[in-house]
Amino acid sequence: MKPASAKAKGRNLQQLVRDKLLSLSDTFREGDIESTGMGQSGEDVQLSPHARDLLPISVECKHHAKMAVYGIIDQCKANTPDGCQPVVVLKANYKKPVAVIDLDYYVYLERIRIEREA
C-alpha cells in the first residue's frame, strides 16, 4: 500500500471517531473535538477542555488491513447470544487487561452516561 493511501485510511478513521464523538452531546461546538493531522505526535483525536469534561478519554486510532484481534472478536461474536454485545478482554504479560467493544456500542454507552450526568 502506498504511504498516501495508508495515511488517508488513518485520517478517515480519525474523522469517523471524531464525528461519532461529536454526536454524543448537543453542547459540543466547532473545534471541541478535532482529528489530528497525519504525522503529528500526541492524541489522534484532540478534545477541548469542555469536551474532555464530558469525555475523559484519550483516543489512538490504528487502521491496519489485518489484526489478530479480529479473529478473537469473530470467535466472541460466534458465541454471543442474541441481544447481547460481544466484549473481548485482552491481557499481555505485565500489562493491564483491556476490553475491546464495537465503536457504535461504545458511543451508545457514552451517550447514556453523558445524559445521566446532565
Side-chain angles (χ1 to χ4, degrees):
M1 180 185 316
K2 294 180 182 179
S5 297
K7 287 186 182 207
K9 287 182 178 187
R11 185 182 323 69
N12 289 340
L13 176 59
Q14 286 179 209
Q15 291 170 352
L16 171 70
V17 171
R18 176 205 58 206
D19 293 345
K20 287 187 178 283
L21 295 179
L22 280 170
S23 75
L24 287 172
S25 175
D26 293 336
T27 67
F28 290 142
R29 301 290 176 240
E30 187 175 332
D32 275 341
I33 302 176
E34 293 289 335
S35 172
T36 303
M38 294 293 103
Q40 293 183 1
S41 61
E43 297 174 305
D44 289 341
V45 178
Q46 296 178 346
L47 282 68
S48 71
H50 168 67
R52 183 103 44 208
D53 285 344
L54 291 177
L55 290 167
I57 62 172
S58 179
V59 178
E60 179 72 24
C61 297
K62 296 290 183 201
H63 187 289
H64 293 285
K66 196 172 186 180
M67 285 186 258
V69 71
Y70 280 101
I72 299 166
I73 292 169
D74 289 342
Q75 179 184 0
C76 182
K77 285 180 180 178
N79 296 321
T80 301
D82 289 341
C84 294
Q85 287 292 322
V87 176
V88 172
V89 177
L90 303 172
K91 166 102 175 63
N93 292 338
Y94 311 107
K95 301 287 185 184
K96 289 177 66 172
V98 296
V100 178
I101 60 174
D102 180 83
L103 176 61
D104 289 329
Y105 186 59
Y106 169 75
V107 169
Y108 166 77
L109 294 174
E110 284 292 354
R111 181 172 287 116
I112 290 171
R113 184 188 61 77
I114 288 171
E115 288 173 357
R116 283 185 182 159
E117 291 179 1

